[in-house]
């Protein structure tokens, strides 16, 4: 039996991750934006990309959040099947809520969470279903991977129920239509990582689209060759429509496209599209049963087990 991971260690780690996510843009996204800057020939979007990169350097140097809107903190928890938690999962969730409230005051984060009807605000980003916690499990492991993502909660997501007759062509049209709307109406801050979830039910494809955008590294590819080829084609399409960084005319709308799939009802092909905007805030740590904490770049969320297909 593995040693129980202390709830206080989870709380301390989550608080540190929240600070890192708010301040330090991940290296994979920085490099993707640098490549977009180098490929951008239009003056205004290239200027925007240069200023973004400079802003991130200042945020890291001064240990201040890189954007005034610090989004909605949420957590992704990948639990090894052999892991033991002091106090169980209730203690884990309480630790995450305490860490969120403490970090909101200390970093500080903007207290964005309010009651949708009364507009009541506890001033700490904690409330009903806030922060969100999403779980995945992994066999033959005794650690916990904890990832925090700070994602805006206003725009940047769309959904459409497509049908088999629409085919891949219909999916491409929906993708381009969505990017045009996002770019022209200011519904996402470009450049963005685009996550596309295909299949499952409505909630499944929207969830997969968000996870694909927020939890895969720029430069990663879906292990299925056909899906990976679709990722490449959608990125090219997104950068061909004539919109660049922050809506200026250019070719720097999409840093990367990540596609994830789920088996769906035979009569439909639901699609969820999610933009992880230029504030691509993500931080991950692996907490081992011995008490050591390993801060990592890759959440490793989409494992072979997570994408499993057959009967085991």
């Amino acid at each position: 039996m593995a040693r129980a991971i202390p709830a206080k260690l989870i709380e301390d780690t989550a608080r540190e991750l929240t600070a890192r996510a708010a301040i330090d843009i991940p290296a994979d996204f920085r490099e993707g934006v640098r490549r977009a800057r180098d490929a951008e020939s239009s003056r205004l979007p290239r200027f925007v990309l240069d200023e973004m990169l400079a802003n991130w350097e200042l945020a890291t140097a001064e240990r201040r959040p890189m954007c005034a809107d610090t989004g909605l903190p949420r957590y992704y928890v990948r639990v090894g099947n052999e892991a033991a938690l002091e106090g169980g999962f209730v203690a884990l969730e309480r630790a995450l809520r305490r860490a969120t409230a403490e970090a909101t005051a200390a970093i500080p984060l903007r207290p964005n969470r309010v009651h949708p009807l009364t507009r009541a605000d506890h001033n700490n980003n904690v409330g009903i279903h806030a922060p969100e916690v999403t779980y995945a499990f992994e066999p033959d492991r005794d650690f916990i991977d904890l990832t925090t993502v700070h994602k805006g909660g206003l725009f940047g997501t769309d959904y459409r129920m497509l049908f088999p007759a629409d085919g891949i062509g219909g999916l491409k049209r929906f993708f381009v239509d969505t990017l045009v709307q996002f770019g022209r109406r200011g519904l996402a801050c470009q450049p963005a990582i685009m996550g596309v979830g295909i299949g499952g039910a409505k909630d499944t494809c929207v969830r997969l689209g968000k996870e694909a955008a927020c939890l895969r590294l720029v430069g990663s590819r879906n292990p299925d060759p056909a899906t990976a080829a679709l990722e490449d084609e959608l990125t090219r399409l997104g950068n061909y429509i004539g919109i660049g960084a922050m809506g200026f005319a250019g070719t720097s709308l999409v840093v990367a496209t990540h596609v994830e799939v789920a088996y769906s009802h035979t009569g439909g092909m639901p699609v969820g599209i999610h933009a992880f905007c230029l504030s691509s805030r993500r931080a991950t740590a692996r907490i081992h049963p011995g008490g050591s904490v390993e801060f990592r770049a890759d959440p490793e969320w989409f494992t072979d087990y997570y994408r499993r297909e057959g009967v085991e």
Side-chain angles (χ1 to χ4, degrees):
M1 185 77 158
R3 281 176 58 187
I5 296 173
K8 183 64 166 60
L9 180 59
I10 293 172
E11 179 181 336
D12 293 343
T13 303
R15 188 168 54 246
E16 173 63 20
L17 287 174
T18 300
R20 293 186 182 210
I23 294 169
D24 301 311
I25 291 295
D28 61 288
F29 185 68
R30 289 185 190 228
E31 183 55 33
V33 170
R34 287 192 187 96
R35 289 196 298 267
R37 187 269 316 273
D38 293 344
E40 179 59 76
S41 59
S42 298
R43 181 179 62 85
L44 283 176
R46 188 180 177 91
F47 169 78
V48 169
L49 296 171
D50 278 331
E51 291 303 303
M52 285 169 51
L53 291 164
N55 177 61
W56 295 341
E57 294 294 335
L58 284 171
T60 294
E62 297 184 5
R63 307 311 298 161
R64 298 174 65 182
M66 55 75 52
C67 182
D69 183 352
T70 52
L72 302 179
R74 64 182 301 135
Y75 298 94
Y76 292 91
V77 183
R78 189 164 71 99
V79 182
N81 192 53
E82 311 307 319
L85 290 79
E86 178 189 58
F89 286 95
V90 169
L92 180 145
E93 293 193 343
R94 287 172 175 165
L96 296 182
R97 292 170 77 86
R98 284 194 299 269
T100 301
E102 292 162 2
T104 297
I107 295 171
L109 304 179
R110 194 168 78 179
N112 283 329
R113 298 278 195 173
V114 301
H115 189 287
L117 301 179
T118 67
R119 316 311 289 178
D121 184 355
H122 298 311
N123 210 40
N124 60 7
N125 282 310
V126 175
I128 302 170
H129 298 294
E132 296 92 343
V133 183
T134 302
Y135 294 95
F137 300 91
E138 196 71 16
D140 305 318
R141 299 290 188 269
D142 62 359
F143 53 73
I144 294 175
D145 280 346
L146 183 60
T147 298
T148 186
V149 168
H150 297 188
K151 183 68 191 75
L154 295 177
F155 308 114
T157 301
D158 207 350
Y159 161 82
R160 186 174 294 176
M161 174 57 80
L162 300 178
F163 298 96
D166 292 313
I168 301 299
L171 188 152
K172 294 175 187 176
R173 284 192 294 272
F174 175 41
F175 184 78
V176 171
D177 288 347
T178 300
L179 284 178
V180 169
Q181 291 300 310
F182 284 0
R184 289 184 174 177
R185 298 173 61 199
L187 301 182
C189 295
Q190 294 87 13
I193 304 170
M194 300 303 300
V196 182
I198 307 171
K202 179 176 182 179
D203 57 333
T204 308
C205 71
V206 172
R207 172 179 58 81
L208 280 176
K210 178 173 283 190
E211 292 176 1
C214 299
L215 299 176
R216 279 179 50 185
L217 300 187
V218 172
S220 67
R221 294 169 61 83
N222 191 289
D224 174 65
T227 306
L230 178 62
E231 292 176 332
D232 293 340
E233 185 173 3
L234 292 177
T235 297
R236 289 194 298 270
L237 281 172
N239 288 326
Y240 183 74
I241 60 179
I243 302 175
M246 295 305 289
F248 292 109
T251 59
S252 50
L253 193 63
V254 180
V255 171
T257 304
H258 301 153
V259 177
E260 294 294 332
V261 302
Y263 274 40
S264 60
H265 190 284
T266 185
M269 188 174 70
V271 180
I273 295 178
H274 189 89
F276 198 12
C277 69
L278 62 86
S279 304
S280 290
R281 293 165 292 206
R282 178 194 73 229
T284 298
R286 177 165 293 174
I287 306 174
H288 295 277
S292 62
V293 178
E294 175 189 357
F295 291 96
R296 303 165 59 85
D298 190 348
E300 294 184 4
W301 184 257
F302 288 98
T303 64
D304 291 342
Y305 181 74
Y306 194 67
R307 292 183 175 123
R308 65 196 184 278
E309 183 172 356
V311 177
E312 299 170 43

